[in-house]
Amino acid sequence: MIPSYSIDIFPRLFHFKKPAGTSRGVYTERRSWYVRVASEACPGREGWGECAPLPQLSVDDLPDYEGVLRGICAEVARTGQVDTERWREYPSMLFGLETALRHLERGTYALWDTPFSHGEEGICINGLIWMGDHDAMYGQIREKLEAGFRCVKLKIGAIGFEEELDLLRFIRRHFPAREVELRVDANGAFAPAEALDKLKRLAELDLHSIEQPIRAGQWDEMAGLTSVSPLPVAFDEELIGHCSLEAKRRLLDALHPQYIVLKPSLHGGFSGCREWIEEAEKRNVGWWITSALESNVGLNAIAQWCATWHTRMPQGLGTGMLFTDNVPMPLEIRKDCLWYVADGD
């Protein structure tokens, strides 16, 4: 029997505690749409999910986002299923609906049965250093290291490259690579003509990898870069918009990244990210999972799903402390790990 769903949509606007700087600009607010699912088959339960496209980045950042979402929700309510094949080009909506239906089915925010959901294991995460001036970034670095993080990721590309090298050298003077893993994310800030020289200089500092050194969509330049870079290259924005399985295979075969960085809101929901992982592993491409400025509803879902992969590599999950008006969720940071600490509904 096909389940009968009722689905409600609640627009939300979250406010950052501090402006979040990237090479694409500065975020002060974050708009999301919560979906609430109920069903006669699960009396007394509700399932909540978060649909949160990133402005000017998500493939489904649409002028009439809410209208499209309402249409998809109406279809899900009518058919009783999320058609992941039909709605591949709406990854943030897929993510929210997949989360809500999973929550409804489980009846708990422990969305999968894992040691993480039982509070027995944490998920190792990187400490994120947001873009800012030299002093602001230096202060963040000291704070993360003192808090016990042993994998630190710096957003670069907003201040001078020499200043960014100075910050990385500061870490390396005090912490060798065997003690602290360093990742950087350029968000496409380097010009293709200068990228290789910058990667060579960054590689001297024993970095783990660099995300998206040049702007996405420059396939000839990117393929040339990944083939000779002394520093492993990870794709993030490059994956956006490649929604079909064939498109994913074509990109991996043409560009040969060393890593891919997966965000369910951007890269196909849970179903689409699973495809990316399966195709990457066939090609010996590494991967890790990252949140994308979601509130705690989305962050919890990504963390719960991430735990099902049982990976020991540090992940890029948020800490739930970005917003002044976040929703409560049983997540906690202990040293360099994210933990699930209670069973809520």
Side-chain angles (χ1 to χ4, degrees), residues 16 27 67 101 150 197 245 269 306 310 323 342:
F16 285 88
Y27 292 115
L101 292 179
R150 288 300 171 259
D197 179 65
L245 181 57
C306 179
H310 307 289
F323 305 118

Side-chain angles (χ1 to χ4, degrees), residues 64 81 85 87 91 136 150 172 180 189 216 220 240 243 258 280 284 290 297 311:
D64 187 26
Q81 63 181 358
E85 188 67 32
W87 296 319
R150 288 300 171 259
R172 277 291 169 256
V180 173
D220 290 343
I240 295 172
C243 303
Q258 284 74 44
N284 295 315
T290 300
V297 170
T311 176

